[in-house]
Structures are given as structure tokens and as C-alpha cells.
Amino acid sequence: MTSTEAGALRRLAPPARRFLAHRKGVLIRLALWSLAESGQAFLVGHAVARSVDEGFLAGDPRRGLLWLGVALVAVLSGARVVRGVFAQLAGVTEPLRDGLVRHAVDRSMARAAPGGPGGTDRAAVSRLTNQVEIARDSFAGLVLTLRSFVFTAAGALLGLLSLHPALLVVVLPPLAAGLALFLVTLRPMAAAQRRALAADEALGEHAASARAALRDLAACGTGPGAERHGADLVADAAAAARTLAGWAAVRTAALGVAGHLPVLALLVAVEWLRGHGVSVGALLGAFTYLVQSLLPALHTLMTALGAAGSRLLVVLDRILGPEPEPEPELELGSGLESEPASEPEPEPEPEPEPESGPSTASAPAAAFAVHTAAAPAVELRSVTLSYGVRAEPVLDALDLCVAPGEHLAVVGPSGIGKSTLTRLVAGTLAPSRGEVRVAGRVVTGRPAAELAALRVLVPQDAYVFSGTVGDNLAYLRTDPSPAELDAAVEAFGLAPLVERLGGLDATVRPAELSPGERQLVALVRAYLSPAPLLLLDEATCHLDPASEARAEKALAGRSGTLVVVAHRLSSAVRADRTLVLDGIRAQSGTHAELLGRSPLYRDLTGHWNS
């Protein structure tokens, strides 16, 4: 037995004893009904044997029919026995359910009460619904099958012994072998059941967290990380299910050994049994005991104990055991993105949410005012980023300083780290080494509201939500005047689109906009934001050159700093300075300077011109 299972049994044993001790009357009445079931099992096989030996084979059919009538009465009385058993069973299972519900509610209330650990108890619903019902049904099935097997087996074995002791010599060895093989599977099946339940809960927790944070995941570009984590949890749940299925197959083999070999052994040993004085009626009675009583009870026991027993142990431990450590909240920033991978990954593309927070972050922006006066707008100090422990770094010891109000273009081959750089500056990705500062403050690990007050990130696939045109444009600023909205629309050439949609109060249907139109909406939204830093990650790639030039001119004329991952050469030419990433050492300078000293920039220029 594993230490986890042993600990669970130690924790559950005292409350189980207390629970059963308070229900002695119900247990006694249940045992009395079970004794009737044991007598029924004994009578059926014994009556069949006597009807053959003393009736039909002895030439007395009336006596044979009389004994068959006894067997029939015993069979029909089973309905009354079952009814009595179920009536008493409710007196055990329903109090268990009520007690588990009370315990689950008390735990959740204690967590939320003053002085408790606090936080959201997301597993409470699972405990109150799914887990409590599993516990009640499993406990009921376990009581029924254990009771039935014990008393039915006692009646059947006693009947075999009364017919002839040699019958037990043939029947017991395969029966014991099947039971032994079955018992071997109980512990590993309980452990597999525990892992499967834990994996299912972890997957449900992740799904609930991701669903609640869907907009933030898209805005911060951390959707791929959350997706990878979810895929890992799905794989864990599938592996746990496969392990459980493997042990279920072993249990099925045990059932075959215990449920079918005794009958085959009895058939093979007929001649030997006849030589030892076993009558024809005794043989027929033995087959009746096996087929009608013993083997069905054994089949039910193995099925219920193998499944319900392990489930009951696991679920009761989850409900009654010590409260688990709270799961870490779903990270929207660097935590998901900076997990080491075994292989180098290509430069990840941000998800289609351009901004990471609403405009209510203007108050934190004021708090940074004292730092932005003299500090660089963006500063990277020996920043290194690798997507794996042994992977080559995407950025290696990069130093960069962008002055307030500067317009910087970033160029380089695909996959060289341009988007990674913007995400590092945006604070949605943590460096492996080094430090990233915006307006004098380290951005790694900062709350989303503070980051939203400092910068806006517009990715390649712009995000437009279902709402009015005005709501989309003013999403990052709650108080734009109509004149400011009109000026921004005019500056970006968005007036024809707004007019076509029906004005600023018209409803936007994102699916009806082209990629370029969605990008223009996102660019106007960023333009109206109070954040002092704009990060454009190929955010104009779906615009024609004229629209791109118009948008970049408007953004460059805005108060603040502009960092653009260039899609065309013209973006680099318009910038105050261009940063070239080549995977070896970064170079920066004006367009003319880089043509003279950067072979890669000359190659890129030729590519753009062609």
C-alpha cells in the first residue's frame, strides 16, 4: 500500500467507526435480512439435488416436484428479501450523504470566513455535487455487494459441503485463485483512481480559470502558454485513464478465472467425483449453487469492489481529508510563457488581443510620473531569453535604451526575436536573465493594471469586440470627447469605415471587418490611450503602404514613445532610429548609418525593395 493510501485509511478509519457505531440498529436489521438471503441460497441448490436424487431418479416424481416447489418458493422469496435490504440500506447511505454535504459546506464557509485561509474554493461545487454523489452511490453499492457476497457465499458453500465435501475440493482452488488475483488489483486500482480524479479536478480548475481570464489571456498574448498547460493536463488525465483501464483489464481477467473456471473444473471432474460417491443430484445441485448463487455474487463483488471501493476511498479522502494547498492562480504574465521547453521554439506570435487592460489604470500612471521625468522610456539591461534550458537564446545579453518620445523601428529575419522583444517590454514575458524597465520601473511581475498604464501592445492580429464603434475606439480611455474621437478617426482615415458602419454608435460585428479594418480600429484605440509607450508588433501588416504611412505618422505625432516591429522598409526609414536583430549582436542607428555598417540591414533592404 502506498503512503498516500495508508494515510487516507488512517484518516478515514476513525470517522468511519464513529459513523457505523451510531447506526448499530440499522446494521443489525440489515444483517438479519442478509441471513434470510443466505438461507435462500442454501435452499435453492439443496432442493434441486434432493429433487433429483430422492424424486425423479428414485421413481417418485411427486417428491421431485415437491422439492422443486421448495426451490421455487426460495427464489420467489428473494424479492421480499431485496425489498427489506434496500429499506435498511437507506438508513445508512442517506445519513452519509447528509454528513458529507454538511462537511463540504462547513469547509467552504470556514475558508471564506474571517481568519480562514481565504480565496475561492473552486472545488466546493465538485464536492457538493459530483463527489458526494459518487461517495453515496459507491458506499451503497459496496454495502450491497459485500453483504450479498458474504451471506450468499456462506449459504452456497455450506450447501456444497452438505451435498459432498469432494465438491469443495474441486470448486475452491479456482475460486480462490481468481479472488487472489482480484485482491492484487485493489491497491493499484485505488491509486490509479486517485490519480484520475486529481487529474480531472486539475483540468477542471484550469478550464474554469482560463475561461474567467479569456480576455486577459488574449490581451497579454499568453494564450499559447495557457493552451500548452491545458494540453499537458489533458495528457495527464488521458494517461491516468489508460492506467486505470489497464488495471480494469487485469480485474476482468480475475473475474474470468473466479467466475468461469469453477464451472469448467466441475465439468472436468465429473468422473472423479462420481467415483468418490457424488450423486447425480449432488452434481446438479453443485452446478446450481455455482451458476445461480455463488458466481453471480462473486461477479457483482469484483465489479463493485474494484470500482466503487477505490472510488469511495479516494472521494472520501478528498472530502474529509485535510484541505489541499491552494492551486496557484492562472498567470497572465510571464509565468506561463517562460516555462522551459526541451526544444527551441520559434518566435511566438501574440494572441489577437491588443491591449492588456482598460483605461481605469490612469491612477497608477500618475504614480509613475516621478520616474518618467528623467528615466528612459524603455531600458533593457543584459537581457537574455531562452525558450528552454538547453535552447539557444533568442535574445542574448541585449542592451537597449529608448529615450522618451523616440520613434524606434525593430527589424530582423523572421523568428529572430522581434515579437519576443515587444512582449518583454510589455511585461507579458519574463527574461531568463537581465532586467527590463519601462519609465524607470521593472516591468516583470507587475500587476496588469500598472502595466496597462505604461504601455499598449498592438499585435499582428488585432482584436475588435462586439459593441459599438465608439466603445471599441475608446476601450482604453473612458473619457474621450466627441471632438477627440472625430480627430482620431480622421487622422487614421477611418471615416469611410465609420460611415459605412453607421456612425460611432453603430454596432460592430468583428467577422464583417477585414483584417486591415480591424487593425485600423486597434491603432486608433492605441492612439487614444493615455499610456506613454506604444508597441506595434507588425500591427500594420494588413494595411496598404499609404494607410501604413498615414497611421505611423499619426502615432509618431502622438505624445509618447513609439516602438514598431517593421513590416516594410518605409517603417524603418520613417523612424528616428532602427534596431537590427541578427541573432549575434544587435545594431542600432539611422537608416543611412545601418546601410553603411550592417550587412543584414542591407540584405533586408534589398529584400524589401524587391
Side-chain angles (χ1 to χ4, degrees):
M1 180 178 292
T2 65
S3 59
T4 303
E5 292 168 327
L9 287 175
R10 285 193 298 269
R11 287 192 297 270
L12 296 176
R17 285 195 296 266
R18 289 194 299 269
F19 176 80
L20 295 176
H22 286 84
R23 286 156 185 85
K24 291 180 180 178
V26 175
L27 295 176
I28 290 173
R29 290 191 293 273
L30 193 60
L32 290 176
W33 281 108
S34 300
L35 279 175
E37 189 172 355
S38 182
Q40 174 203 10
F42 175 84
L43 278 177
V44 171
H46 193 78
V48 169
R50 298 290 290 272
S51 69
V52 173
D53 288 339
E54 298 179 7
F56 299 113
L57 290 182
D60 190 353
R62 292 178 59 186
R63 190 178 183 86
L65 290 174
L66 179 63
W67 277 111
L68 287 181
V70 172
L72 179 62
V73 171
V75 171
L76 294 177
S77 66
R80 183 72 181 90
V81 172
V82 171
R83 180 180 177 183
V85 167
F86 272 91
Q88 300 304 319
L89 184 66
V92 180
T93 57
E94 295 309 311
L96 174 69
R97 179 185 182 278
D98 295 342
L100 293 177
V101 168
R102 284 195 299 271
H103 183 85
V105 172
D106 290 343
R107 170 183 284 188
S108 298
M109 296 296 291
R111 182 186 181 98
T120 302
D121 189 6
R122 294 191 179 97
V125 175
S126 176
R127 286 195 294 268
L128 283 172
T129 55
N130 185 41
Q131 294 186 29
V132 166
E133 292 305 316
I134 288 176
R136 183 186 66 170
D137 294 344
S138 299
F139 181 67
L142 206 57
V143 171
L144 279 175
T145 52
L146 277 173
R147 173 208 57 80
S148 178
F149 175 75
V150 169
F151 286 93
T152 301
L157 292 176
L158 184 61
L160 287 171
L161 181 63
S162 68
L163 294 178
H164 200 289
L167 294 171
L168 291 179
V169 175
V170 176
V171 170
L172 280 181
L175 191 66
L179 277 173
L181 181 60
F182 169 72
L183 292 175
V184 168
T185 67
L186 289 181
R187 292 175 182 174
M189 275 202 74
Q193 185 72 45
R194 182 185 302 276
R195 288 193 297 271
L197 184 59
D200 182 65
E201 285 188 349
L203 182 58
E205 177 83 9
H206 175 77
S209 299
R211 180 178 180 182
L214 203 56
R215 181 182 293 276
D216 292 330
L217 285 170
C220 297
T222 52
E227 183 180 355
R228 287 194 298 272
H229 184 51
D232 292 339
L233 292 175
V234 170
D236 291 342
R242 285 192 294 269
T243 301
L244 191 61
W247 283 110
V250 177
R251 187 189 66 194
T252 303
L255 181 61
V257 172
H260 299 289
L261 281 186
V263 176
L264 295 176
L266 200 59
L267 288 172
V268 171
V270 165
E271 184 177 353
W272 179 82
L273 290 171
R274 292 286 291 155
H276 284 74
V278 179
S279 65
V280 174
L283 285 172
L284 191 56
F287 280 111
T288 303
Y289 280 128
L290 288 177
V291 176
Q292 295 295 324
S293 300
L294 189 58
L295 298 185
L298 180 63
H299 182 280
T300 306
L301 172 72
M302 288 187 172
T303 302
L305 192 60
S310 58
R311 280 202 307 266
L312 180 64
L313 176 64
V314 171
V315 172
L316 286 180
D317 187 42
R318 303 288 290 188
I319 299 176
L320 301 177
E323 187 167 2
E325 292 294 324
E327 293 291 332
E329 293 293 326
L330 184 66
E331 293 291 340
L332 302 178
S334 61
L336 292 174
E337 298 302 322
S338 58
E339 294 176 357
S342 59
E343 295 293 334
E345 297 185 8
E347 178 181 340
E349 293 296 331
E351 289 293 302
E353 174 90 7
E355 300 84 19
S356 62
S359 59
T360 53
S362 56
F368 290 112
V370 294
H371 299 277
T372 58
V378 177
E379 186 177 11
L380 276 67
R381 301 177 180 178
S382 300
V383 169
T384 298
L385 190 283
S386 298
Y387 287 105
V389 177
R390 298 179 178 84
E392 290 294 326
V394 178
L395 299 176
D396 191 5
L398 177 63
D399 292 311
L400 177 66
C401 184
V402 182
E406 186 176 5
H407 178 186
L408 176 73
V410 181
V411 301
S414 177
I416 202 64
K418 303 185 296 296
S419 293
T420 298
L421 175 62
T422 60
R423 294 174 65 203
L424 285 168
V425 175
T428 62
L429 187 62
S432 304
R433 290 188 299 276
E435 189 175 77
V436 181
R437 291 176 176 264
V438 172
R441 290 297 185 95
V442 176
V443 296
T444 304
R446 289 210 168 272
E450 292 185 11
L451 291 175
L454 289 179
R455 88 290 180 272
V456 174
L457 171 63
V458 185
Q460 188 176 36
D461 297 316
Y463 173 71
V464 175
F465 56 86
S466 296
T468 67
V469 178
D471 288 341
N472 269 278
L473 298 181
Y475 176 66
L476 297 180
R477 181 172 172 180
T478 57
D479 57 348
S481 65
E484 288 176 315
L485 283 174
D486 291 339
V489 167
E490 186 63 31
F492 284 82
L494 201 61
L497 173 62
V498 174
E499 183 178 352
R500 190 191 83 204
L501 295 175
L504 293 176
D505 294 329
T507 300
V508 176
R509 294 178 177 82
E512 296 179 1
L513 300 183
S514 69
E517 289 170 338
R518 287 196 293 270
Q519 282 190 331
L520 281 175
V521 171
L523 290 171
V524 174
R525 181 191 299 157
Y527 175 82
L528 291 170
S529 165
L533 172 63
L534 298 186
L535 302 168
L536 307 186
D537 185 7
E538 295 197 7
T540 59
C541 64
H542 296 300
L543 302 181
D544 59 79
S547 298
E548 179 185 58
R550 184 171 187 170
E552 286 189 5
K553 179 181 178 181
L555 292 171
R558 172 186 179 276
S559 176
T561 306
L562 179 63
V563 176
V564 179
V565 174
H567 178 66
R568 295 182 177 94
L569 173 63
S570 53
S571 294
V573 174
R574 283 190 293 267
D576 299 329
R577 184 162 55 104
T578 299
L579 174 69
V580 182
L581 298 178
D582 62 1
I584 301 174
R585 66 184 184 90
Q587 298 188 62
S588 66
T590 65
H591 172 66
E593 290 171 345
L594 291 172
L595 284 176
R597 55 187 170 90
S598 173
L600 175 59
Y601 188 75
R602 288 195 296 272
D603 290 343
L604 291 173
T605 302
H607 170 72
W608 276 323
N609 288 335
S610 63

